């Protein structure tokens, strides 16, 4: 029996090889369990049968076959291979084909958890990151973002659940389903990107010409969220509510703070938003109880005007990261010892869902 | 080790060899250069959406395909695979790509069916093992320009390169 099965697998392999050059066949990986769902498909934990290496496999959903090979996958593969060899960006290993001519799998390195999930699990055990650990995470995140921006790429969907951490404490940015290239003579892009809670004001107001600064806003939200014990700072459910929450924290934009708001946004829209104009002061410090330097950094990241927002590179050398408590080294994050335990809990939860 | 610069290493590691790409085939070099000329013409008609990058990518994809294809190709293949590589390039580099309808009608003048072009596209992807993102001449030139003038903030030079 077994021999027959082996023969069949061999046959399939040969067939696949003739179909798709040197690309390997998905049958060479054994699925362990589902890890989660990304923007463009499910993600599984799997083992490479040849090398016994644990990897993450992401299935690419194919929406429109009529136009040939889907554009989104072309872009994602292109982007991923452009961004490789950086420690803070999830490592993309190869493309693998499935039985069906049109199914494609992307193989990534395996990371234990995403940070949103980790905070959720830690919260159940009444644990949390220390400030120096938060600094370490944000520094690594900024380093990854800096690398992307240097290659003229915007991520467009930075949030805690897209930031992974592995058992060595290295933080990795993942899920590039929405990322795209950024050209200097600014071309219009779609404003319907980034999860609402992390969406920057210029996107909320649907300006089509945005820059890499949208990612910095998201990082600012992430930093504030981490300092806020894992509670999101702008958890709006509609775009209007989102705008209100931002106003409540950093005040209504003045002409000095954001000139374009008064020149580019339509009058009707602005009239509607004027009801928030009584929020005047910056309440970051009241809400987060952070140090002077931290406040300065947050103000620079969460600035209304995208032109005045700090760049990722500059943010990395901000004095906040050199003052006490100093950032820990990635390997010294306390929670790492328990990471596998948390990952296991996660797996159980996933299985229960089924 | 965590904070470092990997840019140049990346470019080098992804380099592909495109020399003598017609060696295994029965295609006269003049035909390839005619194809390349024609590509300039085609992308010239789509100035709104396509850039030089698209053109260099299309040529690169075609050359890599020729280089890696073990089967002997003949003169008549150049047209089909040229069109398919343009289709693949526009999907890869452009914000809104040239639609397959346009490719069939306006570019190919109905010489090939949609199905034929999709198959050719698949053939290319398969032959080049999905490695669609090797650096092209355009990538190098842009990079050198930045290096020489270190002008990543200089608007005039940036406009020249895009």
């Amino acid at each position: 029996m077994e021999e027959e099965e082996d023969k069949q697998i061999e046959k399939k392999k040969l067939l696949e090889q003739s179909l798709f050059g040197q690309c390997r066949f998905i049958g060479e990986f054994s699925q362990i369990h589902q890890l989660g769902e990304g923007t463009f498909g499910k993600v599984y934990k799997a083992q490479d049968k040849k090398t016994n290496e644990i990897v993450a496999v992401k299935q690419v959903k194919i929406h429109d076959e009529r136009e040939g090979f889907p554009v989104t996958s072309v872009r994602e593969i292109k982007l991923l291979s452009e961004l490789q060899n950086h420690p803070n960006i999830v490592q993309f290993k190869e493309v693998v084909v499935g039985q069906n001519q049109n199914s494609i799998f992307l193989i990534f390195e395996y990371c234990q958890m995403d940070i949103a999930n980790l905070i959720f699990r830690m919260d159940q055990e009444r644990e949390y990151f220390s400030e120096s650990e938060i600094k370490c995470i944000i520094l690594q995140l900024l380093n990854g973002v800096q690398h992307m921006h240097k290659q003229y790429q915007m991520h467009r969907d930075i949030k805690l659940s897209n930031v992974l951490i592995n058992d060595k404490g290295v933080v990795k940015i993942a899920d590039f389903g929405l990322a795209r290239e950024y050209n200097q003579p600014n071309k219009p892009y779609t404003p319907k990107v980034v999860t609402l809670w992390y969406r920057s004001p210029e996107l909320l107001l649907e300006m089509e010409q945005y820059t890499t600064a949208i990612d910095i806003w998201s990082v600012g939200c992430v930093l504030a969220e981490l300092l806020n014990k894992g509670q999101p700072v702008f958890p709006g459910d509609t775009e209007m509510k989102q705008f209100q929450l931002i106003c409540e924290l950093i005040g209504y934009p003045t002409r000095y703070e954001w000139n374009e708001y008064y020149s580019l946004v339509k009058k009707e829209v602005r009239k509607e938003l004027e009801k928030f104009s009584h929020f005047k002061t910056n309440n970051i410090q009241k809400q987060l109880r952070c140090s002077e330097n931290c406040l300065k950094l947050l103000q620079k990241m969460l600035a209304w005007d995208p032109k005045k927002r700090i760049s990722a590179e500059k943010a990395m050398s901000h004095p906040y990261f050199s003052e006490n408590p100093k950032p820990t080294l990635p390997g010294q994050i306390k929670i790492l010892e328990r990471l596998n335990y948390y990952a296991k809990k996660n797996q159980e939860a996933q299985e229960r869902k089924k | 080790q965590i904070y470092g610069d990997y840019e140049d290493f990346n470019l080098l590691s992804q380099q592909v060899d495109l020399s003598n790409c017609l060696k295994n085939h029965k295609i006269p070099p003049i035909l390839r250069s005619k194809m390349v000329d024609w590509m300039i013409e085609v992308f010239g008609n789509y100035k709104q959406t396509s850039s030089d990058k698209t053109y260099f990518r299309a040529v690169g994809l075609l050359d890599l395909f020729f280089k890696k294809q073990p089967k002997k190709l003949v003169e008549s293949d150049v047209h089909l695979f040229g069109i398919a590589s343009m289709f693949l390039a526009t999907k890869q580099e452009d914000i809104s790509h040239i639609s397959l309808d346009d490719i069939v009608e306006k570019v190919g003048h109905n010489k090939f069916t949609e199905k034929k072009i999709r198959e050719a596209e698949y053939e290319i992807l398969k032959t080049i093992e999905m490695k669609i993102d090797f650096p092209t001449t355009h990538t190098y030139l842009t990079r050198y320009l930045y290096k020489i003038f270190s002008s990543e903030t200089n608007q005039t030079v940036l406009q020249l390169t895009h």
Side-chain angles (χ1 to χ4, degrees), chain B residues 2 16 41 43 80 142:
Chain B
I2 294 170
V16 288
E41 206 181 302
F43 286 124
L80 176 60
T142 323

Side-chain angles (χ1 to χ4, degrees), chain A residues 40 60-74 102, chain B residues 87 91 97-101 114 118 121:
Chain A
F40 286 109
V60 178
K61 277 185 204 158
I62 288 168
H63 302 281
D64 186 10
E65 285 172 38
R66 220 196 68 81
E67 288 285 306
F69 194 76
V71 196
T72 45
S73 339
V74 171
N102 282 314
Chain B
F87 184 42
K91 281 205 273 194
H97 64 89
I98 304 171
S99 69
L100 190 53
D101 288 339
E114 279 180 21
R118 274 205 295 265
E121 183 194 29

Side-chain angles (χ1 to χ4, degrees), chain A residues 16 28 118 121 177 187 193 196 200 214 240 258 317 348:
Chain A
E16 284 302 328
E28 288 180 41
L118 180 60
R121 294 286 160 205
K187 287 178 186 159
V193 291
L196 192 57
S200 62
I214 62 161
M240 191 53 85
W258 194 15
S317 51
E348 284 163 17

Side-chain angles (χ1 to χ4, degrees), chain A residues 52-290:
Chain A
N52 288 335
E53 190 184 10
I54 302 287
V55 292
V57 177
K58 183 177 173 187
Q59 188 172 8
V60 178
K61 277 185 204 158
I62 288 168
H63 302 281
D64 186 10
E65 285 172 38
R66 220 196 68 81
E67 288 285 306
F69 194 76
V71 196
T72 45
S73 339
V74 171
R75 287 231 185 100
E76 198 172 1
I77 293 168
K78 171 183 145 75
L79 238 148
L80 281 166
S81 42
E82 230 164 73
L83 292 172
Q84 277 321 288
N85 296 316
H86 191 278
N88 300 120
I89 283 172
V90 74
Q91 198 198 334
F92 168 62
K93 292 184 183 292
E94 60 183 317
V95 185
V96 167
V97 291
Q99 285 166 340
N100 184 333
Q101 265 206 12
N102 282 314
S103 62
I104 277 172
F105 301 85
L106 305 179
I107 308 291
F108 295 94
E109 68 180 311
Y110 173 68
C111 291
Q112 271 72 4
M113 278 191 122
D114 66 70
I115 294 193
N117 222 326
L118 180 60
I119 289 175
F120 171 71
R121 294 286 160 205
M122 277 161 69
D123 197 46
Q124 288 182 334
E125 317 255 322
R126 297 183 185 283
E127 284 178 284
Y128 197 67
F129 295 118
S130 70
E131 193 172 354
S132 45
E133 285 167 352
I134 291 173
K135 279 184 190 178
C136 167
I137 291 168
I138 290 292
L139 259 180
Q140 292 187 65
L141 177 60
L142 278 171
N143 194 28
V145 171
Q146 173 261 117
H147 179 68
M148 281 191 80
H149 288 180
K150 226 180 181 174
Q151 319 268 332
Y152 299 90
Q153 311 286 357
M154 301 184 270
H155 186 280
R156 305 206 298 186
D157 197 15
I158 290 177
K159 53 179 171 182
L160 277 181
S161 55
N162 279 344
V163 180
L164 310 178
I165 188 163
N166 71 5
D167 56 357
K168 296 198 175 58
V170 181
V171 169
K172 286 167 194 280
I173 304 173
D175 201 343
F176 296 85
L178 278 175
R180 69 154 296 120
E181 196 163 321
Y182 160 75
N183 290 320
Q184 198 66 358
N186 232 330
K187 287 178 186 159
Y189 313 113
T190 165
K192 294 271 178 236
V193 291
V194 188
T195 311
L196 192 57
W197 297 356
Y198 303 88
R199 206 178 283 172
S200 62
E202 68 266 30
L203 289 175
L204 278 173
L205 296 168
E206 310 207 337
M207 297 182 179
E208 279 181 338
Q209 297 208 338
Y210 49 83
T211 60
T212 45
I214 62 161
D215 284 342
I216 301 297
W217 177 278
S218 306
V219 175
C221 293
V222 167
L223 174 57
E225 185 171 339
L226 286 174
L227 291 168
N228 201 15
K229 298 257 181 246
Q231 297 299 318
V233 278
F234 307 130
D237 43 9
T238 61
E239 273 150 38
M240 191 53 85
K241 177 85 183 153
Q242 188 70 24
F243 198 84
Q244 186 190 341
L245 285 169
I246 296 175
C247 286
E248 275 173 29
L249 191 73
I250 64 175
Y252 191 76
T254 61
R255 201 171 271 277
Y256 168 72
E257 275 172 336
W258 194 15
N259 205 0
E260 270 93 351
Y261 175 70
Y262 291 92
S263 57
L264 287 180
V265 177
K266 283 193 202 117
K267 257 194 182 148
E268 305 93 70
V269 180
R270 226 166 51 217
K271 218 167 216 170
E272 220 180 310
L273 295 174
E274 243 153 41
K275 61 183 174 204
F276 303 130
S277 58
H278 60 280
F279 295 113
K280 289 240 161 60
T281 44
N282 201 317
N283 291 320
I284 295 179
Q285 198 156 24
K286 235 187 245 167
Q287 232 191 52
L288 300 175
R289 270 194 241 112
C290 52

Side-chain angles (χ1 to χ4, degrees), chain B residues 6-57:
Chain B
Y6 293 87
E7 220 175 303
D8 290 334
F9 172 73
N10 232 356
L11 257 194
L12 279 176
S13 67
Q14 289 179 3
Q15 203 167 27
V16 288
D17 177 20
L18 296 173
S19 58
N20 292 323
C21 62
L22 295 175
K23 208 168 133 198
N24 293 324
H25 309 296
K26 237 184 154 175
I27 297 168
I30 186 77
L31 204 63
R32 180 192 161 279
S33 50
K34 263 188 189 157
M35 185 73 215
V36 170
D37 267 355
W38 183 59
M39 279 179 179
I40 299 180
E41 206 181 302
V42 170
F43 286 124
N45 291 333
Y46 289 92
K47 274 219 166 104
Q48 288 293 322
T49 54
S50 300
S51 62
D52 294 348
K53 258 176 140 176
T54 325
Y55 157 71
F56 278 101
R57 175 68 55 198

